[in-house]
Every structure is written in C-alpha cells, then in structure tokens.
C-alpha cells in the first residue's frame, strides 16, 4: 500500500459493541502494537484518535475526515467484504453504515490473496485490486497466542515480543500493577 499510495493511514478501531475483541486488550496496548507494527514504513501514519476517545469511527466518517482536496481516498478491504452474500449484496452493502452509498461512490482497494479466484463483476464500481500474502485472521492469531502455540512468523517480531512481554491474549487480565516491597511494615487497626 505504501508503494502504491502517497499516504497510508492506519486507524485501529476503538471500542465496538458488535466486536468484543476490541476490548480484550487495553487501548494503550493496541496503540503500542500498531506503532510497533507500522513505524518503520515510509508514508504510513498510525492515527490513534479512536483508541484515545474510546469510540469507533465508521468507514463513512473516515472517508469524510481524510477527503483530500485533489485525488481520492481508497478504503482498503479484504475480498471477503465485497463478495456477494445470499441476497446478492456484499457485506459492505448489507452491514456497513451508509453501505449502499459507499459501494456506489467510494473507492476501494481490495486485497486478494495470491492465486485466489476473483470475479471482478462482484467488486464495487470504483476499485482496484492488490495481491496480498496469505492473511491470518486475528481470531486465529489470538487462539494461537492463548494456547502458547508457535506463531510461525505470523506477526511482526516486535509486536509478537510486545504481546508476550505483556501477557496479552492469554485469557487473563494483564497486570497493570507494579509490585514493590514495603520495608518497614506498620499496621493500623480500627475498632
């Protein structure tokens, strides 16, 4: 994406009632992981306003926020969001806020796994396709981490190290306390 576009903005989503995994780690950890993952990439900017405000900016709102004076905004989606469902419409059209309008008017960059069969007739009117390496779903990654399985290069090494160091996605709340010892113990009793 960074090679194709002038700027890439990564916006980790804030809390979403429909997506419980957005609350399985504290926003500070999600912000740190996003920074670690993307900080070394040229023209890639991590925007943390959703995490800071504990809210979720819809794709529609992001399109308005980043609307350029010239050029266009491309919303990057996996192919699974554009393929038709049972009713013949995509998940974007069926589930997203202003989905029908987005489908017709927004520009989408559709990530397609190398070698996957695609039917461009299923794609939105304004789109381009970018071949991407095999995508590993975040739920699957969380399962691997929870079970302490080998991640086999699924994560950028600094992110994997951060997750392990802070005990994230292990089924317990990561500690936010700092243990210390009290040298002179004094107790007070109130009766």
């Amino acid at each position: 994406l960074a090679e194709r576009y002038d700027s890439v903005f990564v916006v980790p989503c804030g809390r979403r009632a429909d997506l419980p995994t957005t609350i399985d780690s504290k926003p500070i950890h999600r912000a740190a992981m996003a920074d670690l993952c993307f900080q070394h990439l040229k023209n890639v900017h991590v925007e943390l306003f959703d995490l800071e405000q504990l809210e979720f900016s819809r794709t529609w709102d992001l399109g308005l926020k980043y609307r350029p004076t010239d050029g266009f905004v491309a919303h990057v989606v996996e192919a699974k969001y554009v393929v038709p469902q049972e009713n013949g419409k995509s998940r974007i059209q069926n589930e997203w806020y202003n989905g029908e309008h987005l489908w017709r008017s927004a520009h989408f960059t559709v990530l397609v796994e190398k070698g996957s069969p695609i039917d461009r007739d299923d794609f939105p009117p304004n789109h381009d396709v970018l071949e991407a390496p095999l995508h590993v779903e975040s739920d699957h990654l969380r399962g691997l981490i929870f079970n302490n399985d080998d991640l086999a290069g699924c994560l950028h090494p600094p992110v994997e190290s951060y997750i392990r160091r802070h005990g994230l996605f292990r089924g317990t709340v990561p500690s936010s306390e700092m243990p210390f010892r009290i040298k002179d113990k004094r107790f007070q009793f109130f009766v």
Side-chain angles (χ1 to χ4, degrees):
L1 290 170
E3 292 171 6
R4 180 176 285 202
Y5 297 113
D6 295 332
S7 294
V8 176
F9 294 92
V10 177
V11 184
C13 73
R15 290 191 171 159
R16 291 178 53 180
D18 64 324
L19 194 60
T21 56
T22 60
I23 60 170
D24 64 0
S25 61
K26 292 181 179 180
I28 189 72
H29 292 303
R30 297 181 69 226
M33 289 185 288
D35 281 338
L36 287 169
C37 190
F38 298 105
Q39 69 185 355
H40 65 286
L41 298 174
K42 183 181 175 188
N43 299 329
V44 176
H45 313 277
V46 176
E47 298 283 354
L48 301 175
F49 52 85
D50 260 22
L51 295 177
E52 292 165 349
Q53 298 168 15
L54 300 176
E55 61 183 44
F56 167 60
S57 296
R58 296 174 173 144
T59 302
W60 176 265
D61 299 324
L62 292 173
L64 295 175
K65 179 179 179 71
Y66 290 103
R67 181 176 43 219
T69 54
D70 61 346
F72 64 93
V73 172
H75 300 284
V76 181
V77 296
E78 295 174 63
K80 70 181 182 181
Y81 290 99
V82 300
V83 296
Q85 296 180 312
E86 292 175 10
N87 66 354
K89 295 185 175 188
S90 71
R91 286 174 65 179
I92 293 169
Q93 293 165 292
N94 286 328
E95 300 170 14
W96 290 18
Y97 176 75
N98 278 347
E100 282 289 348
H101 190 269
L102 274 169
W103 185 264
R104 289 187 311 274
S105 63
H107 185 93
F108 291 91
T109 296
V110 182
L111 300 179
V112 176
E113 289 180 13
K114 189 174 184 175
S116 293
I118 60 170
D119 184 352
R120 286 188 182 232
D121 292 337
D122 294 337
F123 288 17
N126 303 309
H127 76 275
D128 61 316
V129 173
L130 179 63
E131 268 194 5
L134 177 66
H135 176 73
V136 180
E137 294 288 335
S138 59
D139 288 343
H140 180 70
L141 281 173
R142 285 183 183 89
L144 292 173
I145 295 165
F146 181 84
N147 293 315
N148 205 27
D149 291 336
D150 180 21
L151 296 175
C154 294
L155 290 171
H156 186 48
V159 175
E160 181 179 349
S161 176
Y162 184 90
I163 289 170
R164 296 208 186 277
R165 183 173 59 249
H166 292 281
L168 303 179
F169 313 116
R170 300 287 300 146
T172 58
V173 178
S175 175
S176 59
E177 301 174 23
M178 182 174 174
F180 64 96
R181 294 178 191 243
I182 301 173
K183 292 181 182 179
D184 297 325
K185 297 178 187 175
R186 292 185 168 186
F187 298 98
Q188 290 182 332
F189 294 96
F190 298 93
V191 183

